[in-house]
Amino acid sequence: MKLQHRLRATTAAGSLAALAVVALLSGCGSDTPGSGGNVTVTVTPTVTAKVPSASKTSSTPKTPTSDVKGRNYDFGVVTKTGEVGGVSYIELDRWTWKKLDDGKLAKDGVPTGPFKGKVPYENQNAKLTYTIPLADGARILYHHCIAADQPLQTKSVDAGDLKGLADRENTVLVQIDDKGAATTIQNIPGCPG
């Protein structure tokens, strides 16, 4: 509101000054009778206004928000992990499971057993990633296949261990709760043969 009052006062002062100049000039005449010369005076007021300073932002980092809320599952490759405001998160490059509609994948997931032969998935968009916070106590499993006739080797790992996994072991299935946080993450390994 202060800004508006200053502008009105400045504009009013400028108007009064312009009227005074016009009144003074209208009293001036010409030595030539009947010249009837009109005098036009243009006054351009200068307005100086102070812009209010922006409010200070909090230095406390915001917790990561989920980009996958509303899904039960997501699938792809972990491209980044981190922690903000005490909440761990992953960045997921979403991949497509061949011949499986994304809506069905989001509802039911993908097969979690090891696969043989050609990879059953593909990356159709390497530009988008999705932030997924980790729920408290999230279970993260790394599966490794030695041979097709051998049982999987499985161990619990930290989220950071999922970055940079070898081809045929680097895709993960993420189970998501109703708040959009990951409750379980496990990789889908490919077996030789």
Side-chain angles (χ1 to χ4, degrees), residues 96-116:
T96 302
W97 194 272
K98 294 175 184 175
K99 299 181 183 178
L100 181 64
D101 179 66
D102 185 63
K104 180 134 176 73
L105 186 153
K107 182 180 176 201
D108 301 325
V110 298
T112 57
F115 64 90
K116 295 180 206 172

Side-chain angles (χ1 to χ4, degrees), residues 23-162:
L24 286 174
L25 290 176
S26 64
C28 295
S30 170
D31 289 343
T32 312
S35 66
N38 292 331
V39 176
T40 303
V41 176
T42 304
V43 177
T44 306
T46 302
V47 178
T48 307
K50 189 173 185 179
V51 178
S53 63
S55 62
K56 293 183 180 179
T57 58
S58 172
S59 62
T60 306
K62 293 182 179 182
T63 56
T65 56
S66 178
D67 292 333
V68 296
K69 192 173 181 178
R71 294 176 71 102
N72 295 332
Y73 293 93
D74 213 335
F75 173 76
V77 172
V78 175
T79 60
K80 179 181 174 184
T81 62
E83 185 176 310
V84 176
V87 176
S88 297
Y89 69 93
I90 64 169
E91 285 290 323
L92 186 76
D93 177 7
R94 184 178 290 157
W95 286 31
T96 302
W97 194 272
K98 294 175 184 175
K99 299 181 183 178
L100 181 64
D101 179 66
D102 185 63
K104 180 134 176 73
L105 186 153
K107 182 180 176 201
D108 301 325
V110 298
T112 57
F115 64 90
K116 295 180 206 172
K118 289 181 166 182
V119 294
Y121 47 77
E122 62 187 341
N123 188 5
Q124 292 185 343
N125 185 349
K127 295 180 182 179
L128 293 177
T129 61
Y130 299 87
T131 302
I132 307 174
L134 302 183
D136 288 337
R139 216 172 87 205
I140 304 170
L141 301 173
Y142 166 68
H143 304 294
H144 178 67
C145 187
I146 300 292
D149 60 347
Q150 298 281 326
L152 286 178
Q153 294 181 351
T154 300
K155 65 180 179 177
S156 291
V157 295
D158 292 326
D161 295 330
L162 297 175

